[in-house]
Amino acid sequence: MLSVVTFLPLLACAVLLLLPRTLPDRAYLWIWTGTAAADLALVVALWAGFDTGAGMRYEERVRWIPGAGVGYHVGVDGLSLPLVALTCLLFLAVAVFSLRERRRVRGYVCLFLFLQTVCVGLFVALDLILFFVYFDLSIVGMFFVIAGWGHGERARAAALKFFLYTFTGSLALLLGFIGLYLAADPHTFDIVDLSRANPLAGRGTYAGLVLLAIGVGLAVKTPTVPFHTWLPPAHTDAPATGSAILAGVLLKMGTYGFVRIAMPLLPGSWRHYALVIVIVGAVSVVYGALVALAQTDFKRMIAYTSVNHMGYVVLAVGAAGTLAGTDAQARSLAVTGAVTQMVSHGLITGALFLLTGVLYDRGRTYAMDAYSGLAAHTPRFAAVTAVAAFAALGIPGFSGFIAEFQIFTGSLASQTIATAIALTGIVITAALFLTALRRMFLGTPRLPEAMPAGGVADLRGTEAWSTVTLLAVALVIGIAPRWLLDVIEPAGRTLTGLVAR
């Protein structure tokens, strides 16, 4: 079943490439939407049959390169299944949002179908080389999305910067994987086998260097300070749909790598350097929020909030590696909060980036000073943007509050100062979103020249369905989170047990 979920979009991509080019653009878009809906339905079926007890489920093993210890090994647990579901939901929302796309539709649809297979494949991969293959292919797919459908010449430069940064990070990641492989006896890249064997226990400097290589590769993708500089131009110049997938799914590949690979496979080194990881997380939280506050470009502002929100995840997983001054329950709570934050950020920031696409479609600019009193012309757009903004700043009732509450509660006992510093990020985030809403939607109406003074189109049906659905799921998690936490918590306890051994 996992292989069907993974490769169904790629199969649809292959079929579309074989169909005659005379097929109408709308047909490509509706086939993509139907495929994404079918994939999500399969994930719902997987969720319904998922055993919430700890351990991998729906495992599949096939010999691939046996001489090198590489196999096709996939499976899901409470850490990965929520991210698979998030991926499929977000790609469906992007497909619906794209139903009005008219630029080189065939290539556009096939690229996103390819990216969906790559993203799902990474979250179910239980072999380091399989993980690396998907990790690298995601870079290739997003490079072409940004360069081909972004905003002019700047998009090509942003795409190149994105590719060079993240590809360099992936090389560091591969170096770390080879270090793990060489330490294992027998040699293997299997994540489950390596987790049981703990091959770098007591290896001191060698283990630290392996963690450094893996950590840098994942930190670039997350991204954390100081590896974040590729993110703002990539987001600003990408199409809104590309930004939604980049922020909602691709950034999670970095943070997911921490909980799937770095923590369980290098527990001793993770504990030893936990304070460094916590500091990186706290700095990313505050820095991302402060720089976002200084932005005058709405889309660029949201891009920097991703640095801020991913910093909370890094803070939590670092605190989960600190044994002194805490207990297993607090560490487990921090991990659960980190995974919940990944899901929450994907939903809310994905919706926000789609809304930036609505703004650009109407006014051809993201500059907040170009707009004023926009709520009078587009009340539905203003209302949905306001809801998304309040959800992003973590008010009760939305998934962000559930995630951040768990992160701070789980981190406070062992990392009091860093957690207190990170708390200021919430205040700064509130200030930046309230300022943005005031600038664009309130006051005397003023519109950019590209936006007509009369008859400004409000949120259309496909735009509303995409964004409201994502926010509705965030609302459901915020009000009744038990169905999600019941899946994550057992896997979180297992992970913290591995780190503490």
Side-chain angles (χ1 to χ4, degrees):
M1 180 72 84
L2 278 183
S3 292
V4 173
V5 171
T6 302
F7 294 108
L8 179 62
L10 189 62
L11 177 62
C13 173
V15 170
L16 289 178
L17 290 174
L18 293 173
L19 291 175
R21 289 180 177 269
T22 54
L23 201 67
D25 287 348
R26 295 281 289 180
Y28 286 108
L29 293 165
W30 278 110
I31 290 171
W32 174 23
T33 303
T35 302
D39 219 29
L40 180 60
L42 290 173
V43 173
V44 171
L46 287 176
W47 194 296
F50 184 75
D51 183 353
T52 55
M56 290 294 166
R57 298 291 181 264
Y58 306 114
E59 280 190 86
E60 300 172 30
R61 286 179 183 259
V62 178
R63 290 163 65 86
W64 184 15
I65 315 173
V70 180
Y72 176 81
H73 184 191
V74 297
V76 290
D77 63 358
L79 302 177
S80 53
L81 182 59
L83 295 175
V84 172
L86 168 68
T87 299
C88 293
L89 176 61
L90 197 52
F91 270 95
L92 176 58
V94 166
V96 173
F97 188 89
S98 301
L99 286 173
R100 295 176 59 86
E101 182 63 46
R102 294 296 177 266
R103 297 176 299 163
R104 305 185 304 284
V105 171
R106 184 169 180 259
Y108 177 85
V109 168
C110 288
L111 265 177
F112 276 97
L113 287 168
F114 167 78
L115 269 173
Q116 183 167 351
T117 284
V118 167
C119 294
V120 172
L122 182 136
F123 292 129
V124 303
L126 295 178
D127 182 276
L128 292 176
I129 296 301
L130 189 62
F131 182 97
F132 176 78
V133 168
Y134 288 129
F135 193 90
D136 260 14
L137 289 177
S138 71
I139 299 171
V140 175
M142 187 52 65
F143 168 81
F144 285 112
V145 168
I146 297 171
W149 286 266
H151 305 312
E153 291 298 324
R154 294 185 313 169
R156 297 182 180 90
L160 181 60
K161 186 174 185 178
F162 160 78
F163 184 89
L164 292 177
Y165 263 73
T166 51
F167 185 69
T168 302
S170 75
L171 294 179
L173 190 67
L174 180 60
L175 188 63
F177 289 173
I178 293 172
L180 277 166
Y181 170 82
L182 294 175
D185 185 17
H187 295 325
T188 182
F189 285 103
D190 190 273
I191 293 173
V192 175
D193 293 343
L194 288 169
S195 177
R196 290 172 183 154
N198 191 13
L200 291 178
R203 295 292 294 272
T205 303
Y206 181 81
L209 291 173
V210 171
L211 178 61
L212 177 63
I214 293 175
V216 168
L218 297 174
V220 171
K221 192 85 164 193
T222 296
T224 63
V225 175
F227 305 108
H228 67 287
T229 55
W230 62 265
L231 182 69
H235 271 312
T236 304
D237 298 317
T241 49
S243 292
I245 296 301
L246 179 58
V249 181
L250 265 65
L251 300 191
K252 309 307 177 294
M253 293 179 178
T255 50
Y256 174 72
F258 286 125
V259 298
R260 174 59 67 217
I261 297 170
M263 294 177 71
L265 273 55
L266 295 154
S269 296
W270 190 266
R271 294 195 305 269
H272 186 75
Y273 295 102
L275 181 59
V276 175
I277 298 162
V278 166
I279 291 171
V280 170
V283 170
S284 296
V285 167
V286 177
Y287 176 87
L290 285 173
V291 178
L293 182 62
Q295 301 305 308
T296 58
D297 182 295
F298 186 54
K299 198 178 188 190
R300 197 174 182 89
M301 182 198 79
I302 296 170
Y304 274 109
T305 65
S306 290
V307 178
N308 163 264
H309 284 99
M310 291 297 95
Y312 291 125
V313 178
V314 176
L315 169 69
V317 295
T322 307
L323 300 185
T326 187
D327 55 27
Q329 183 177 358
R331 296 194 302 273
S332 175
L333 190 62
V335 171
T336 302
V339 178
T340 307
Q341 175 73 342
M342 294 184 217
V343 175
S344 174
H345 178 265
L347 294 169
I348 297 168
T349 306
L352 279 168
F353 274 120
L354 292 179
L355 289 166
T356 66
V358 176
L359 185 72
Y360 189 83
D361 179 70
R362 307 303 193 268
R364 315 311 296 176
T365 180
Y366 298 118
M368 288 184 280
D369 290 340
Y371 304 92
S372 181
L374 197 54
H377 297 277
T378 56
R380 292 193 300 275
F381 173 56
V384 175
T385 305
V387 170
F390 281 110
L393 60 88
I395 64 169
F398 285 94
S399 55
F401 174 78
I402 301 297
E404 290 169 12
F405 178 79
Q406 291 179 104
I407 288 171
F408 293 133
T409 303
S411 304
L412 195 61
S414 61
Q415 302 295 338
T416 306
I417 296 176
T419 305
I421 292 172
L423 275 167
T424 62
I426 296 179
V427 179
I428 302 170
T429 303
L432 66 91
F433 274 114
L434 291 174
T435 301
L437 292 175
R438 177 187 58 78
R439 275 175 158 179
M440 294 192 301
F441 296 110
L442 304 179
T444 305
R446 184 181 68 255
L447 304 173
E449 292 182 3
M451 181 181 285
V456 178
D458 203 348
L459 210 61
R460 300 186 178 99
T462 55
E463 297 164 342
W465 190 97
S466 301
T467 53
V468 171
T469 298
L470 295 175
L471 295 174
V473 176
L475 179 64
V476 170
I477 294 172
I479 295 174
R482 199 67 258 165
W483 61 276
L484 176 62
L485 301 182
D486 282 343
V487 171
I488 300 173
E489 285 173 352
R493 287 193 294 268
T494 300
L495 176 60
T496 52
L498 290 171
V499 173
R501 61 182 165 167

